[in-house]
Amino acid sequence: RIRTFMTPTSTLLLAFSLSSDAFAASVSKGACVRRLRFMVALQTGLLFGLVEATTPIIGWLLGTSAYDTIAHWDHWIIFFLLLALGGKMIHGGLAPAPKDCASCDCGTTSDRTRWWLIIATAITTSLDAMAVGVGLAFMNANIWVTALAIGGATTLMATLGMLLGRRLGKTVGPRAEILGGLVLIAIGATTLYHHLLA
């Protein structure tokens, strides 16, 4: 396997970059809730975190099963996966936001949260983590520690996003997504650099 750079700092950067799309989604939802209770925000964050922690493990299992077949190109796979995911997040962050709350998918009705819609949103925002899990299969990274870090960071960021949504509006979320995309691209480029240098 390739010589990895997944230090604790790199793991935290990866975790918080992957949580940026959940943060953006929760900011959007929090902006549409009139009177948000802390327990509702925490439950939302835990739901996002649980899903986000599970999907990279699924991706890691898929990548591990194919490792022997594509081991010679592992560094390029990691680079292009993170490049594509980072570019997707940056593109999403630069996309114009809806001008009014009525036209957006808030996931709330008055003060009552529609949990089924939040679950669907959590699954959608976690697909990037599944793809990253595939890349982690080609690295000397502890998937359990990494998944726990991703889940914890997502729980924290999604809870904060819900709580701060009314004050932040919908402009901060996309900016966080852009930053997360840039971090993913940087991680992919660093992986490729370390492999080629070796």
Side-chain angles (χ1 to χ4, degrees):
R1 296 195 177 193
I2 64 173
R3 185 176 300 173
T4 180
F5 65 98
M6 289 302 289
T7 63
T9 300
S10 299
T11 300
L12 284 177
L13 285 174
L14 177 67
F16 278 100
S17 64
L18 287 175
S19 72
S20 62
D21 52 355
F23 175 75
S26 62
V27 165
S28 179
K29 293 181 183 302
C32 298
V33 180
R34 295 176 184 174
R35 294 184 299 275
L36 179 64
R37 293 174 296 167
F38 174 77
M39 285 307 299
V40 173
L42 180 59
Q43 289 169 355
T44 302
L46 287 171
L47 184 57
F48 271 96
L50 178 62
V51 174
E52 197 88 11
T54 302
T55 49
I57 296 175
I58 296 173
W60 180 82
L61 291 172
L62 294 173
T64 300
S65 64
Y67 177 77
D68 292 335
T69 305
I70 52 180
H72 294 295
W73 303 282
D74 51 11
H75 51 292
W76 290 105
I77 292 172
I78 295 169
F79 173 70
F80 283 115
L81 268 177
L82 296 184
L83 179 65
L85 293 176
K88 174 179 170 292
M89 291 173 67
I90 293 172
H91 180 268
L94 293 174
K99 293 183 179 180
D100 61 294
C101 189
S103 65
C104 67
D105 195 7
C106 293
T108 57
T109 302
S110 299
D111 300 324
R112 184 170 62 85
T113 305
R114 291 186 288 177
W115 291 106
W116 64 269
L117 190 52
I118 289 183
I119 291 173
T121 304
I123 292 174
T124 302
T125 58
S126 70
L127 294 179
D128 291 351
M130 183 183 295
V132 168
V134 174
L136 290 173
F138 306 115
M139 305 170 68
N140 292 326
N142 187 317
I143 185 60
W144 308 108
V145 172
T146 305
L148 183 62
I150 292 171
T154 302
T155 298
L156 174 63
M157 296 300 288
T159 302
L160 286 176
M162 286 288 290
L163 293 173
L164 298 176
R166 294 294 291 177
R167 296 183 179 181
L168 297 180
K170 296 180 183 177
T171 58
V172 175
R175 291 175 184 172
E177 199 167 3
I178 292 171
L179 178 60
L182 290 173
V183 171
L184 286 184
I185 293 174
I187 291 175
T190 304
T191 300
L192 182 63
Y193 171 78
H194 276 271
H195 181 90
L196 296 178
L197 188 64

